[in-house]
Amino acid sequence: MNDDVRNIVLGVVAAGISAALGWLARTYVWKRKLARKQAFFGLPENSESLLVVNRDPATSEPAVHRFDVFALLELSALIKDCGAHTQVVTQDAVHQGFGERTEFCVGGPGSNRRMAAHMSAMLPGIRVNVDPEPGPDRGAFQIGTERYRLEAGVAEYVLLARLTAGDPKQSRPVFLFCGQRAITNQAATRYLARNHERLARKYKDNSFVLLLKVTNSQAYGPDVVELVGDVTRTAQAPLPAAATPRNSHRAS
């Protein structure tokens, strides 16, 4: 073997080794990223999860609002990425305890009785006005002593929560998407899809409750979302007796 042939062979071998090492490194990084995602969502490979669907309160017949359908599609993609399976159930057909399977619950307590049960049990510091009669406080959130009013299409609020009961390493989480309108539910699922890595780094296995504000949805749909704040501590504490909301937050 002359020097030219030897150099070619060595070059091919070196390229092959470099490609193999690069592939191994990318695979390792991908597997670590996937493992963190699965841990955050409580969705190990081939695990089962629930998508709890609310009903559209604007119709007398059982129906799901189209923005809630979009929210469910975004959640389905997240679940599929984790290699898990999902079962879609209606809000009045869930008969299981908390923490058995990862659960994604969509819709406010007025259209989703499962959401109402979760909030009553785990978020006593939050009240949602579900009065169907028109008025300035219709759909408003009360969080502790603060009130967040709905201005349809202009300024709308949604709660995004990840909650666990008992040992977070043993109990599967439930994710709540509780919005003042259907489009805010989709905004919250999209926010979670875009920010789950940052949220996983910050909160790890712990519960959290975030208040999000959707701005000008009549023009921008569910895409313009800002974090109002982490309201976990207030949401999990009992509502002050005869609490009078201190402020009414409206769009400026």
Side-chain angles (χ1 to χ4, degrees), residues 185-221:
N185 297 330
Q186 185 191 3
T189 59
R190 185 165 294 181
Y191 183 92
L192 179 66
R194 291 174 175 173
N195 295 280
H196 65 84
E197 292 183 1
R198 178 179 60 82
L199 295 174
R201 287 193 300 269
K202 181 175 181 178
Y203 294 104
K204 299 182 174 60
D205 294 327
N206 299 315
S207 297
F208 63 79
V209 185
L210 306 180
L211 179 65
L212 308 176
K213 181 179 179 181
V214 183
T215 302
N216 200 5
S217 65
Q218 60 189 352
Y220 303 123

PDB file of all heavy atoms in Angstrom, residues 185-221:
ATOM      1  N   ASN A 185     -57.973  28.780  26.067  1.00  0.00           N
ATOM      2  CA  ASN A 185     -57.531  27.406  26.340  1.00  0.00           C
ATOM      3  C   ASN A 185     -56.469  26.978  25.330  1.00  0.00           C
ATOM      4  O   ASN A 185     -55.451  26.381  25.685  1.00  0.00           O
ATOM      5  CB  ASN A 185     -58.715  26.437  26.275  1.00  0.00           C
ATOM      6  CG  ASN A 185     -59.767  26.732  27.331  1.00  0.00           C
ATOM      7  OD1 ASN A 185     -59.470  27.227  28.406  1.00  0.00           O
ATOM      8  ND2 ASN A 185     -61.022  26.418  27.015  1.00  0.00           N
ATOM      9  N   GLN A 186     -56.721  27.300  24.055  1.00  0.00           N
ATOM     10  CA  GLN A 186     -55.730  26.982  23.035  1.00  0.00           C
ATOM     11  C   GLN A 186     -54.446  27.765  23.260  1.00  0.00           C
ATOM     12  O   GLN A 186     -53.341  27.244  23.077  1.00  0.00           O
ATOM     13  CB  GLN A 186     -56.272  27.264  21.632  1.00  0.00           C
ATOM     14  CG  GLN A 186     -55.296  26.822  20.538  1.00  0.00           C
ATOM     15  CD  GLN A 186     -55.662  27.326  19.151  1.00  0.00           C
ATOM     16  OE1 GLN A 186     -56.629  28.068  18.974  1.00  0.00           O
ATOM     17  NE2 GLN A 186     -54.894  26.931  18.156  1.00  0.00           N
ATOM     18  N   ALA A 187     -54.574  29.026  23.681  1.00  0.00           N
ATOM     19  CA  ALA A 187     -53.386  29.835  23.948  1.00  0.00           C
ATOM     20  C   ALA A 187     -52.535  29.204  25.045  1.00  0.00           C
ATOM     21  O   ALA A 187     -51.301  29.198  24.966  1.00  0.00           O
ATOM     22  CB  ALA A 187     -53.800  31.250  24.348  1.00  0.00           C
ATOM     23  N   ALA A 188     -53.187  28.654  26.070  1.00  0.00           N
ATOM     24  CA  ALA A 188     -52.440  28.031  27.162  1.00  0.00           C
ATOM     25  C   ALA A 188     -51.744  26.755  26.712  1.00  0.00           C
ATOM     26  O   ALA A 188     -50.605  26.482  27.115  1.00  0.00           O
ATOM     27  CB  ALA A 188     -53.373  27.735  28.331  1.00  0.00           C
ATOM     28  N   THR A 189     -52.408  25.939  25.890  1.00  0.00           N
ATOM     29  CA  THR A 189     -51.752  24.720  25.408  1.00  0.00           C
ATOM     30  C   THR A 189     -50.565  25.064  24.513  1.00  0.00           C
ATOM     31  O   THR A 189     -49.521  24.408  24.571  1.00  0.00           O
ATOM     32  CB  THR A 189     -52.739  23.822  24.637  1.00  0.00           C
ATOM     33  OG1 THR A 189     -53.278  24.535  23.517  1.00  0.00           O
ATOM     34  CG2 THR A 189     -53.878  23.376  25.532  1.00  0.00           C
ATOM     35  N   ARG A 190     -50.716  26.098  23.711  1.00  0.00           N
ATOM     36  CA  ARG A 190     -49.611  26.515  22.847  1.00  0.00           C
ATOM     37  C   ARG A 190     -48.459  27.072  23.682  1.00  0.00           C
ATOM     38  O   ARG A 190     -47.279  26.816  23.389  1.00  0.00           O
ATOM     39  CB  ARG A 190     -50.103  27.558  21.840  1.00  0.00           C
ATOM     40  CG  ARG A 190     -49.080  27.969  20.813  1.00  0.00           C
ATOM     41  CD  ARG A 190     -49.721  28.705  19.649  1.00  0.00           C
ATOM     42  NE  ARG A 190     -50.604  27.829  18.887  1.00  0.00           N
ATOM     43  CZ  ARG A 190     -51.269  28.216  17.799  1.00  0.00           C
ATOM     44  NH1 ARG A 190     -51.153  29.472  17.351  1.00  0.00           N
ATOM     45  NH2 ARG A 190     -52.041  27.378  17.148  1.00  0.00           N
ATOM     46  N   TYR A 191     -48.777  27.808  24.732  1.00  0.00           N
ATOM     47  CA  TYR A 191     -47.746  28.322  25.634  1.00  0.00           C
ATOM     48  C   TYR A 191     -46.986  27.167  26.277  1.00  0.00           C
ATOM     49  O   TYR A 191     -45.751  27.193  26.375  1.00  0.00           O
ATOM     50  CB  TYR A 191     -48.398  29.202  26.697  1.00  0.00           C
ATOM     51  CG  TYR A 191     -47.433  29.850  27.665  1.00  0.00           C
ATOM     52  CD1 TYR A 191     -46.912  31.122  27.404  1.00  0.00           C
ATOM     53  CD2 TYR A 191     -47.045  29.215  28.833  1.00  0.00           C
ATOM     54  CE1 TYR A 191     -46.025  31.722  28.282  1.00  0.00           C
ATOM     55  CE2 TYR A 191     -46.164  29.806  29.718  1.00  0.00           C
ATOM     56  CZ  TYR A 191     -45.650  31.060  29.443  1.00  0.00           C
ATOM     57  OH  TYR A 191     -44.764  31.645  30.328  1.00  0.00           O
ATOM     58  N   LEU A 192     -47.714  26.146  26.707  1.00  0.00           N
ATOM     59  CA  LEU A 192     -47.064  24.981  27.319  1.00  0.00           C
ATOM     60  C   LEU A 192     -46.171  24.270  26.315  1.00  0.00           C
ATOM     61  O   LEU A 192     -45.045  23.874  26.643  1.00  0.00           O
ATOM     62  CB  LEU A 192     -48.126  24.024  27.855  1.00  0.00           C
ATOM     63  CG  LEU A 192     -47.601  22.739  28.509  1.00  0.00           C
ATOM     64  CD1 LEU A 192     -46.828  23.060  29.782  1.00  0.00           C
ATOM     65  CD2 LEU A 192     -48.753  21.787  28.815  1.00  0.00           C
ATOM     66  N   ALA A 193     -46.653  24.093  25.090  1.00  0.00           N
ATOM     67  CA  ALA A 193     -45.860  23.405  24.067  1.00  0.00           C
ATOM     68  C   ALA A 193     -44.565  24.159  23.774  1.00  0.00           C
ATOM     69  O   ALA A 193     -43.511  23.541  23.550  1.00  0.00           O
ATOM     70  CB  ALA A 193     -46.682  23.255  22.788  1.00  0.00           C
ATOM     71  N   ARG A 194     -44.621  25.481  23.803  1.00  0.00           N
ATOM     72  CA  ARG A 194     -43.442  26.283  23.475  1.00  0.00           C
ATOM     73  C   ARG A 194     -42.480  26.442  24.651  1.00  0.00           C
ATOM     74  O   ARG A 194     -41.282  26.667  24.438  1.00  0.00           O
ATOM     75  CB  ARG A 194     -43.885  27.668  23.000  1.00  0.00           C
ATOM     76  CG  ARG A 194     -44.596  27.677  21.655  1.00  0.00           C
ATOM     77  CD  ARG A 194     -45.131  29.070  21.330  1.00  0.00           C
ATOM     78  NE  ARG A 194     -45.709  29.124  19.990  1.00  0.00           N
ATOM     79  CZ  ARG A 194     -46.364  30.171  19.501  1.00  0.00           C
ATOM     80  NH1 ARG A 194     -46.528  31.255  20.245  1.00  0.00           N
ATOM     81  NH2 ARG A 194     -46.856  30.137  18.271  1.00  0.00           N
ATOM     82  N   ASN A 195     -42.992  26.339  25.863  1.00  0.00           N
ATOM     83  CA  ASN A 195     -42.178  26.676  27.033  1.00  0.00           C
ATOM     84  C   ASN A 195     -41.987  25.523  28.012  1.00  0.00           C
ATOM     85  O   ASN A 195     -41.500  25.754  29.125  1.00  0.00           O
ATOM     86  CB  ASN A 195     -42.828  27.855  27.769  1.00  0.00           C
ATOM     87  CG  ASN A 195     -42.841  29.126  26.948  1.00  0.00           C
ATOM     88  OD1 ASN A 195     -41.841  29.839  26.851  1.00  0.00           O
ATOM     89  ND2 ASN A 195     -43.980  29.424  26.348  1.00  0.00           N
ATOM     90  N   HIS A 196     -42.333  24.298  27.649  1.00  0.00           N
ATOM     91  CA  HIS A 196     -42.264  23.212  28.623  1.00  0.00           C
ATOM     92  C   HIS A 196     -40.838  22.932  29.092  1.00  0.00           C
ATOM     93  O   HIS A 196     -40.632  22.546  30.249  1.00  0.00           O
ATOM     94  CB  HIS A 196     -42.900  21.928  28.054  1.00  0.00           C
ATOM     95  CG  HIS A 196     -42.178  21.333  26.880  1.00  0.00           C
ATOM     96  ND1 HIS A 196     -41.095  20.502  27.024  1.00  0.00           N
ATOM     97  CD2 HIS A 196     -42.402  21.449  25.550  1.00  0.00           C
ATOM     98  CE1 HIS A 196     -40.675  20.128  25.828  1.00  0.00           C
ATOM     99  NE2 HIS A 196     -41.447  20.687  24.924  1.00  0.00           N
ATOM    100  N   GLU A 197     -39.842  23.151  28.246  1.00  0.00           N
ATOM    101  CA  GLU A 197     -38.463  22.913  28.680  1.00  0.00           C
ATOM    102  C   GLU A 197     -38.063  23.905  29.772  1.00  0.00           C
ATOM    103  O   GLU A 197     -37.457  23.523  30.787  1.00  0.00           O
ATOM    104  CB  GLU A 197     -37.513  23.010  27.490  1.00  0.00           C
ATOM    105  CG  GLU A 197     -37.676  21.887  26.479  1.00  0.00           C
ATOM    106  CD  GLU A 197     -36.673  21.983  25.350  1.00  0.00           C
ATOM    107  OE1 GLU A 197     -35.839  22.921  25.360  1.00  0.00           O
ATOM    108  OE2 GLU A 197     -36.710  21.126  24.442  1.00  0.00           O
ATOM    109  N   ARG A 198     -38.398  25.166  29.570  1.00  0.00           N
ATOM    110  CA  ARG A 198     -38.085  26.184  30.587  1.00  0.00           C
ATOM    111  C   ARG A 198     -38.858  25.918  31.873  1.00  0.00           C
ATOM    112  O   ARG A 198     -38.311  26.034  32.977  1.00  0.00           O
ATOM    113  CB  ARG A 198     -38.421  27.576  30.045  1.00  0.00           C
ATOM    114  CG  ARG A 198     -38.169  28.699  31.039  1.00  0.00           C
ATOM    115  CD  ARG A 198     -38.505  30.050  30.421  1.00  0.00           C
ATOM    116  NE  ARG A 198     -39.898  30.137  30.022  1.00  0.00           N
ATOM    117  CZ  ARG A 198     -40.883  30.427  30.872  1.00  0.00           C
ATOM    118  NH1 ARG A 198     -40.631  30.616  32.169  1.00  0.00           N
ATOM    119  NH2 ARG A 198     -42.122  30.515  30.435  1.00  0.00           N
ATOM    120  N   LEU A 199     -40.122  25.541  31.756  1.00  0.00           N
ATOM    121  CA  LEU A 199     -40.933  25.252  32.938  1.00  0.00           C
ATOM    122  C   LEU A 199     -40.397  24.033  33.680  1.00  0.00           C
ATOM    123  O   LEU A 199     -40.392  24.000  34.919  1.00  0.00           O
ATOM    124  CB  LEU A 199     -42.391  25.032  32.527  1.00  0.00           C
ATOM    125  CG  LEU A 199     -43.115  26.243  31.944  1.00  0.00           C
ATOM    126  CD1 LEU A 199     -44.496  25.850  31.434  1.00  0.00           C
ATOM    127  CD2 LEU A 199     -43.234  27.358  32.977  1.00  0.00           C
ATOM    128  N   ALA A 200     -39.938  23.024  32.936  1.00  0.00           N
ATOM    129  CA  ALA A 200     -39.381  21.822  33.570  1.00  0.00           C
ATOM    130  C   ALA A 200     -38.108  22.159  34.337  1.00  0.00           C
ATOM    131  O   ALA A 200     -37.878  21.633  35.440  1.00  0.00           O
ATOM    132  CB  ALA A 200     -39.110  20.757  32.515  1.00  0.00           C
ATOM    133  N   ARG A 201     -37.273  23.023  33.779  1.00  0.00           N
ATOM    134  CA  ARG A 201     -36.046  23.418  34.488  1.00  0.00           C
ATOM    135  C   ARG A 201     -36.373  24.195  35.756  1.00  0.00           C
ATOM    136  O   ARG A 201     -35.714  24.034  36.787  1.00  0.00           O
ATOM    137  CB  ARG A 201     -35.150  24.264  33.576  1.00  0.00           C
ATOM    138  CG  ARG A 201     -34.448  23.479  32.476  1.00  0.00           C
ATOM    139  CD  ARG A 201     -33.357  24.299  31.824  1.00  0.00           C
ATOM    140  NE  ARG A 201     -33.877  25.510  31.210  1.00  0.00           N
ATOM    141  CZ  ARG A 201     -34.278  25.582  29.938  1.00  0.00           C
ATOM    142  NH1 ARG A 201     -34.213  24.516  29.167  1.00  0.00           N
ATOM    143  NH2 ARG A 201     -34.723  26.720  29.438  1.00  0.00           N
ATOM    144  N   LYS A 202     -37.388  25.042  35.688  1.00  0.00           N
ATOM    145  CA  LYS A 202     -37.716  25.896  36.823  1.00  0.00           C
ATOM    146  C   LYS A 202     -38.448  25.144  37.929  1.00  0.00           C
ATOM    147  O   LYS A 202     -38.116  25.290  39.114  1.00  0.00           O
ATOM    148  CB  LYS A 202     -38.568  27.082  36.352  1.00  0.00           C
ATOM    149  CG  LYS A 202     -38.937  28.052  37.459  1.00  0.00           C
ATOM    150  CD  LYS A 202     -39.671  29.265  36.914  1.00  0.00           C
ATOM    151  CE  LYS A 202     -40.008  30.254  38.038  1.00  0.00           C
ATOM    152  NZ  LYS A 202     -40.695  31.468  37.516  1.00  0.00           N
ATOM    153  N   TYR A 203     -39.429  24.334  37.558  1.00  0.00           N
ATOM    154  CA  TYR A 203     -40.305  23.724  38.564  1.00  0.00           C
ATOM    155  C   TYR A 203     -40.008  22.246  38.833  1.00  0.00           C
ATOM    156  O   TYR A 203     -40.463  21.706  39.840  1.00  0.00           O
ATOM    157  CB  TYR A 203     -41.767  23.868  38.138  1.00  0.00           C
ATOM    158  CG  TYR A 203     -42.230  25.298  38.106  1.00  0.00           C
ATOM    159  CD1 TYR A 203     -42.377  25.983  36.906  1.00  0.00           C
ATOM    160  CD2 TYR A 203     -42.526  25.986  39.277  1.00  0.00           C
ATOM    161  CE1 TYR A 203     -42.802  27.302  36.865  1.00  0.00           C
ATOM    162  CE2 TYR A 203     -42.958  27.305  39.253  1.00  0.00           C
ATOM    163  CZ  TYR A 203     -43.086  27.957  38.048  1.00  0.00           C
ATOM    164  OH  TYR A 203     -43.499  29.264  38.020  1.00  0.00           O
ATOM    165  N   LYS A 204     -39.300  21.587  37.908  1.00  0.00           N
ATOM    166  CA  LYS A 204     -38.981  20.155  38.057  1.00  0.00           C
ATOM    167  C   LYS A 204     -40.257  19.346  38.303  1.00  0.00           C
ATOM    168  O   LYS A 204     -41.163  19.384  37.493  1.00  0.00           O
ATOM    169  CB  LYS A 204     -37.940  19.967  39.152  1.00  0.00           C
ATOM    170  CG  LYS A 204     -36.618  20.678  38.852  1.00  0.00           C
ATOM    171  CD  LYS A 204     -35.594  20.446  39.915  1.00  0.00           C
ATOM    172  CE  LYS A 204     -34.246  21.036  39.509  1.00  0.00           C
ATOM    173  NZ  LYS A 204     -34.279  22.483  39.272  1.00  0.00           N
ATOM    174  N   ASP A 205     -40.339  18.630  39.449  1.00  0.00           N
ATOM    175  CA  ASP A 205     -41.517  17.799  39.734  1.00  0.00           C
ATOM    176  C   ASP A 205     -42.598  18.550  40.508  1.00  0.00           C
ATOM    177  O   ASP A 205     -43.617  17.950  40.869  1.00  0.00           O
ATOM    178  CB  ASP A 205     -41.111  16.562  40.548  1.00  0.00           C
ATOM    179  CG  ASP A 205     -40.214  15.627  39.762  1.00  0.00           C
ATOM    180  OD1 ASP A 205     -40.397  15.547  38.533  1.00  0.00           O
ATOM    181  OD2 ASP A 205     -39.330  15.003  40.356  1.00  0.00           O
ATOM    182  N   ASN A 206     -42.379  19.810  40.788  1.00  0.00           N
ATOM    183  CA  ASN A 206     -43.291  20.543  41.670  1.00  0.00           C
ATOM    184  C   ASN A 206     -44.521  21.066  40.925  1.00  0.00           C
ATOM    185  O   ASN A 206     -44.513  21.256  39.710  1.00  0.00           O
ATOM    186  CB  ASN A 206     -42.547  21.718  42.316  1.00  0.00           C
ATOM    187  CG  ASN A 206     -41.379  21.252  43.150  1.00  0.00           C
ATOM    188  OD1 ASN A 206     -41.501  20.313  43.918  1.00  0.00           O
ATOM    189  ND2 ASN A 206     -40.229  21.898  42.980  1.00  0.00           N
ATOM    190  N   SER A 207     -45.564  21.317  41.705  1.00  0.00           N
ATOM    191  CA  SER A 207     -46.782  21.903  41.157  1.00  0.00           C
ATOM    192  C   SER A 207     -46.574  23.392  40.875  1.00  0.00           C
ATOM    193  O   SER A 207     -45.748  24.051  41.515  1.00  0.00           O
ATOM    194  CB  SER A 207     -47.948  21.738  42.141  1.00  0.00           C
ATOM    195  OG  SER A 207     -48.248  20.380  42.361  1.00  0.00           O
ATOM    196  N   PHE A 208     -47.319  23.911  39.914  1.00  0.00           N
ATOM    197  CA  PHE A 208     -47.311  25.352  39.673  1.00  0.00           C
ATOM    198  C   PHE A 208     -48.647  25.765  39.074  1.00  0.00           C
ATOM    199  O   PHE A 208     -49.356  24.960  38.458  1.00  0.00           O
ATOM    200  CB  PHE A 208     -46.155  25.780  38.762  1.00  0.00           C
ATOM    201  CG  PHE A 208     -46.187  25.205  37.373  1.00  0.00           C
ATOM    202  CD1 PHE A 208     -47.021  25.728  36.380  1.00  0.00           C
ATOM    203  CD2 PHE A 208     -45.365  24.140  37.034  1.00  0.00           C
ATOM    204  CE1 PHE A 208     -47.043  25.198  35.096  1.00  0.00           C
ATOM    205  CE2 PHE A 208     -45.381  23.602  35.749  1.00  0.00           C
ATOM    206  CZ  PHE A 208     -46.212  24.131  34.782  1.00  0.00           C
ATOM    207  N   VAL A 209     -48.992  27.030  39.286  1.00  0.00           N
ATOM    208  CA  VAL A 209     -50.191  27.628  38.705  1.00  0.00           C
ATOM    209  C   VAL A 209     -49.775  28.979  38.125  1.00  0.00           C
ATOM    210  O   VAL A 209     -49.313  29.855  38.870  1.00  0.00           O
ATOM    211  CB  VAL A 209     -51.314  27.837  39.746  1.00  0.00           C
ATOM    212  CG1 VAL A 209     -52.583  28.346  39.052  1.00  0.00           C
ATOM    213  CG2 VAL A 209     -51.602  26.551  40.507  1.00  0.00           C
ATOM    214  N   LEU A 210     -49.923  29.129  36.833  1.00  0.00           N
ATOM    215  CA  LEU A 210     -49.539  30.362  36.153  1.00  0.00           C
ATOM    216  C   LEU A 210     -50.781  31.065  35.617  1.00  0.00           C
ATOM    217  O   LEU A 210     -51.690  30.420  35.093  1.00  0.00           O
ATOM    218  CB  LEU A 210     -48.592  30.067  34.995  1.00  0.00           C
ATOM    219  CG  LEU A 210     -47.326  29.261  35.307  1.00  0.00           C
ATOM    220  CD1 LEU A 210     -46.510  29.061  34.030  1.00  0.00           C
ATOM    221  CD2 LEU A 210     -46.488  29.948  36.379  1.00  0.00           C
ATOM    222  N   LEU A 211     -50.794  32.372  35.756  1.00  0.00           N
ATOM    223  CA  LEU A 211     -51.858  33.184  35.169  1.00  0.00           C
ATOM    224  C   LEU A 211     -51.308  33.828  33.907  1.00  0.00           C
ATOM    225  O   LEU A 211     -50.309  34.554  33.952  1.00  0.00           O
ATOM    226  CB  LEU A 211     -52.340  34.257  36.146  1.00  0.00           C
ATOM    227  CG  LEU A 211     -53.439  35.178  35.616  1.00  0.00           C
ATOM    228  CD1 LEU A 211     -54.724  34.401  35.348  1.00  0.00           C
ATOM    229  CD2 LEU A 211     -53.713  36.323  36.602  1.00  0.00           C
ATOM    230  N   LEU A 212     -51.954  33.559  32.778  1.00  0.00           N
ATOM    231  CA  LEU A 212     -51.553  34.099  31.489  1.00  0.00           C
ATOM    232  C   LEU A 212     -52.599  35.073  30.981  1.00  0.00           C
ATOM    233  O   LEU A 212     -53.788  34.924  31.266  1.00  0.00           O
ATOM    234  CB  LEU A 212     -51.377  32.975  30.464  1.00  0.00           C
ATOM    235  CG  LEU A 212     -50.480  31.798  30.854  1.00  0.00           C
ATOM    236  CD1 LEU A 212     -50.510  30.744  29.765  1.00  0.00           C
ATOM    237  CD2 LEU A 212     -49.055  32.263  31.111  1.00  0.00           C
ATOM    238  N   LYS A 213     -52.145  36.039  30.224  1.00  0.00           N
ATOM    239  CA  LYS A 213     -53.042  37.019  29.614  1.00  0.00           C
ATOM    240  C   LYS A 213     -52.927  36.927  28.100  1.00  0.00           C
ATOM    241  O   LYS A 213     -51.819  36.972  27.547  1.00  0.00           O
ATOM    242  CB  LYS A 213     -52.680  38.438  30.078  1.00  0.00           C
ATOM    243  CG  LYS A 213     -53.584  39.527  29.507  1.00  0.00           C
ATOM    244  CD  LYS A 213     -53.159  40.894  30.038  1.00  0.00           C
ATOM    245  CE  LYS A 213     -54.015  42.017  29.487  1.00  0.00           C
ATOM    246  NZ  LYS A 213     -53.567  43.344  29.986  1.00  0.00           N
ATOM    247  N   VAL A 214     -54.061  36.772  27.437  1.00  0.00           N
ATOM    248  CA  VAL A 214     -54.108  36.713  25.977  1.00  0.00           C
ATOM    249  C   VAL A 214     -54.561  38.086  25.483  1.00  0.00           C
ATOM    250  O   VAL A 214     -55.642  38.562  25.834  1.00  0.00           O
ATOM    251  CB  VAL A 214     -55.087  35.619  25.495  1.00  0.00           C
ATOM    252  CG1 VAL A 214     -55.069  35.533  23.976  1.00  0.00           C
ATOM    253  CG2 VAL A 214     -54.721  34.275  26.116  1.00  0.00           C
ATOM    254  N   THR A 215     -53.722  38.704  24.670  1.00  0.00           N
ATOM    255  CA  THR A 215     -53.971  40.075  24.236  1.00  0.00           C
ATOM    256  C   THR A 215     -54.462  40.112  22.795  1.00  0.00           C
ATOM    257  O   THR A 215     -53.866  39.500  21.904  1.00  0.00           O
ATOM    258  CB  THR A 215     -52.685  40.914  24.363  1.00  0.00           C
ATOM    259  OG1 THR A 215     -52.244  40.893  25.721  1.00  0.00           O
ATOM    260  CG2 THR A 215     -52.925  42.356  23.939  1.00  0.00           C
ATOM    261  N   ASN A 216     -55.563  40.848  22.595  1.00  0.00           N
ATOM    262  CA  ASN A 216     -56.101  41.135  21.269  1.00  0.00           C
ATOM    263  C   ASN A 216     -56.280  39.859  20.441  1.00  0.00           C
ATOM    264  O   ASN A 216     -55.809  39.769  19.306  1.00  0.00           O
ATOM    265  CB  ASN A 216     -55.197  42.124  20.527  1.00  0.00           C
ATOM    266  CG  ASN A 216     -55.924  42.832  19.389  1.00  0.00           C
ATOM    267  OD1 ASN A 216     -57.129  42.656  19.194  1.00  0.00           O
ATOM    268  ND2 ASN A 216     -55.198  43.624  18.620  1.00  0.00           N
ATOM    269  N   SER A 217     -56.991  38.898  21.003  1.00  0.00           N
ATOM    270  CA  SER A 217     -57.205  37.636  20.294  1.00  0.00           C
ATOM    271  C   SER A 217     -58.048  37.819  19.042  1.00  0.00           C
ATOM    272  O   SER A 217     -57.981  37.001  18.116  1.00  0.00           O
ATOM    273  CB  SER A 217     -57.875  36.613  21.217  1.00  0.00           C
ATOM    274  OG  SER A 217     -59.181  37.037  21.591  1.00  0.00           O
ATOM    275  N   GLN A 218     -58.836  38.894  18.983  1.00  0.00           N
ATOM    276  CA  GLN A 218     -59.658  39.128  17.794  1.00  0.00           C
ATOM    277  C   GLN A 218     -58.789  39.428  16.578  1.00  0.00           C
ATOM    278  O   GLN A 218     -59.223  39.225  15.437  1.00  0.00           O
ATOM    279  CB  GLN A 218     -60.629  40.271  18.026  1.00  0.00           C
ATOM    280  CG  GLN A 218     -59.978  41.611  18.349  1.00  0.00           C
ATOM    281  CD  GLN A 218     -60.976  42.666  18.786  1.00  0.00           C
ATOM    282  OE1 GLN A 218     -62.180  42.445  18.715  1.00  0.00           O
ATOM    283  NE2 GLN A 218     -60.483  43.816  19.237  1.00  0.00           N
ATOM    284  N   ALA A 219     -57.555  39.867  16.808  1.00  0.00           N
ATOM    285  CA  ALA A 219     -56.634  40.140  15.706  1.00  0.00           C
ATOM    286  C   ALA A 219     -55.525  39.099  15.599  1.00  0.00           C
ATOM    287  O   ALA A 219     -55.143  38.700  14.499  1.00  0.00           O
ATOM    288  CB  ALA A 219     -56.005  41.525  15.871  1.00  0.00           C
ATOM    289  N   TYR A 220     -55.022  38.651  16.749  1.00  0.00           N
ATOM    290  CA  TYR A 220     -53.849  37.782  16.759  1.00  0.00           C
ATOM    291  C   TYR A 220     -54.145  36.342  17.148  1.00  0.00           C
ATOM    292  O   TYR A 220     -53.227  35.524  17.221  1.00  0.00           O
ATOM    293  CB  TYR A 220     -52.789  38.346  17.711  1.00  0.00           C
ATOM    294  CG  TYR A 220     -52.371  39.758  17.388  1.00  0.00           C
ATOM    295  CD1 TYR A 220     -52.485  40.775  18.320  1.00  0.00           C
ATOM    296  CD2 TYR A 220     -51.863  40.078  16.127  1.00  0.00           C
ATOM    297  CE1 TYR A 220     -52.111  42.077  18.023  1.00  0.00           C
ATOM    298  CE2 TYR A 220     -51.488  41.369  15.819  1.00  0.00           C
ATOM    299  CZ  TYR A 220     -51.612  42.367  16.775  1.00  0.00           C
ATOM    300  OH  TYR A 220     -51.238  43.646  16.468  1.00  0.00           O
ATOM    301  N   GLY A 221     -55.406  36.020  17.410  1.00  0.00           N
ATOM    302  CA  GLY A 221     -55.737  34.658  17.796  1.00  0.00           C
ATOM    303  C   GLY A 221     -55.083  34.288  19.124  1.00  0.00           C
ATOM    304  O   GLY A 221     -54.971  35.113  20.032  1.00  0.00           O
TER     305      GLY A 221
END
